[in-house]
Amino acid sequence: MSRNDTLFARSQTHIPGGVNSPVRAFRSVGGTPRFFERGQGPHVWDADGKRYIDYIGSWGPLILGHAHPDIVEAVCATARSGMSYGAPTEREAEMAETLCRLVPSLEMVRLTSSGTEACMSAVRLARGFTGRNRIVKFEGCYHGHGDSLLVKAGSGMLTFGNPDSAGVPADLAAHTLVLQYNDIEGVKQVFAEMGDTIAAIIVEPVVGNMNLVAPEPGFLETLREVCTRHGSVLIFDEVMTGFRVALGGAQAHYGITPDLSTFGKVVGGGMPLAVFGGRADIMKHLAPLGPVYQAGTLSGNPVAVAAGLAQLKHLQTPGFHDALAAKTRALVDGMVGAAHDTGVAFSGQSVGGMFGVYFSAAVPKSYPEVMDSDRERFNRFFHHMLDAGVYLAPSAFEAGFVSAAHTDADIAETVAAARAAFAAL
Ligand SMILES: *Cc1c(COP(=O)(O)O)cnc(C)c1O
C-alpha cells in the first residue's frame, strides 16, 4: 500500500469520505486522492514523495505558485504579533482601499472568510435592499453552498428551482429561478414576466465550475440591462475570476459594471479570506449601518489579510496578467495541438490565467454542452497525466489554473505528457 492509500484509509474513519470538501475525494475519476505534503512554486509533492506540476493551485488562490516567499513572510510576521483580535485593524482599511482602487465598481467592501459566505451575504443584502425574495442563477454556476444557491433547474419552461442538495427546503429553493447560461432570450423572457419581483441575478461572469464556459457576446450586457430596467441587483461572483482573468476581474475584462461583486480565492493568497462589495448605497444597508445582518468572528483576520495584500501587490506589476494569459494560452494551444496530431476530439480555451479543456470537438457554451463531453475519456486522460506527474482537477467539470511560477519548461513537460496520454487513450 502506498502512503496515499494508507492516509486515505485512515482519514475515512473520522472524516466523511476522507475529505473536507467533496471534489478532493476523486469520486468522479476514481482512484486514491493524493495527500500533499509540500508545495513550492508550480510543484506539489505527495505523501509518497512523487512530484506533480500543479494546475489546481488550491482551486485558484495560488496565482503566484506555492509558498511564495513574500506571502510566507507576511503570514509569519503578522502571526508573531497576534493571530486574531476580533477588533478592527489598520490592515483591513488598507485591504478595503486596495480592493476599491483595483476594482472600480467597488465603493465599499466587507471581508468574510469564505466565498460561500460572501455569496450568501451578497444575496441576503440584495434581498434586503430590494425588499424582494426571488433571485436568478444559471445552471452550472457555483456560488458556494448557501441554501438559496444550492438549487438546480426544475422541469418546465419557467424554471423555479429545486433543491440541489438534501437539506435545502423546497420552499426556499422555489425563490431561486434557474436559467441556462448564455441564454439571452431566456433572461429577457423571465424579466419581462416577473422582473419587478426579482431581487438579484447572481452569475459567474466566466464560469469556472462547469469546466470553463465563457460569456457569449451580449450575454453579460443583457444581464446588466434587465437589472437596471427592473431595479434588480446584478451580482458578479468573481470568487474565481477576480484578480485572475484581469487585475480588475472579469468585469474589467468585459467592461460590465455589476452592482455587487464577490471575491475569494486569489484575494486571500491561500488563506481563508473573501469579500463582497459594490455600490455604497447598497452596502450601507448592512449592519451596523442598516437592517441586513451579517457578521464573522474571524472576518478580516489579520494573517489572512496580510497574505492577501502581499499577493495583490505582485499582481500590480505591469504586464503581470498579460504574461499569465500568454502562458495559459500556450498551455491550451499545446494540448489542443497534441490532441489534433493524435486524432482525439478535444478542444480548449483560456481567459486570463484560467483554462478549460474538453473531450468534445467544439468548445461548449452552456451546461448541456459541457455535459455532452466524453467524461469517461477525460477520466482515463486524467490518470495518464497524474501518472506522468501532472496534477489536473480530478473532474471533467472544473476549470484549471496556471500560476506565474509555471515556467515554459513546465508547460512543455505538460504538453509532452498530454501528447503521450492522447496516444495511449
Ligand atoms: C470557489 C467558489 C465559491 C465558493 O468559495 P468557497 O471559499 O469555497 O466557499 C463561490 N463562487 C465561485 C465562483 C467559486 O469558484
Side-chain angles (χ1 to χ4, degrees), residues 114-116 142-144 204 209 237 239-240 265:
S114 71
T116 292
Y142 177 67
H143 306 293
E204 287 182 73
N209 285 290
D237 177 356
V239 170
M240 191 183 286
K265 299 192 169 116

Side-chain angles (χ1 to χ4, degrees), residues 21 24 58-59 112-119 141-145 149 202-209 236-241 262-265 272-274 398 401:
S21 198
R24 298 178 194 173
S58 187
W59 298 94
T112 66
S113 298
S114 71
T116 292
E117 278 181 278
C119 292
C141 286
Y142 177 67
H143 306 293
H145 59 89
L149 295 165
I202 185 165
V203 65
E204 287 182 73
V206 178
V207 195
N209 285 290
F236 271 14
D237 177 356
E238 298 232 38
V239 170
M240 191 183 286
T241 53
T262 59
F263 297 87
K265 299 192 169 116
L273 181 69
E398 304 287 348
F401 306 103

Side-chain angles (χ1 to χ4, degrees), residues 272-290:
L273 181 69
V275 180
F276 68 101
R279 273 167 47 188
D281 62 322
I282 302 178
M283 292 298 287
K284 284 179 178 170
H285 280 64
L286 273 183
L289 294 183

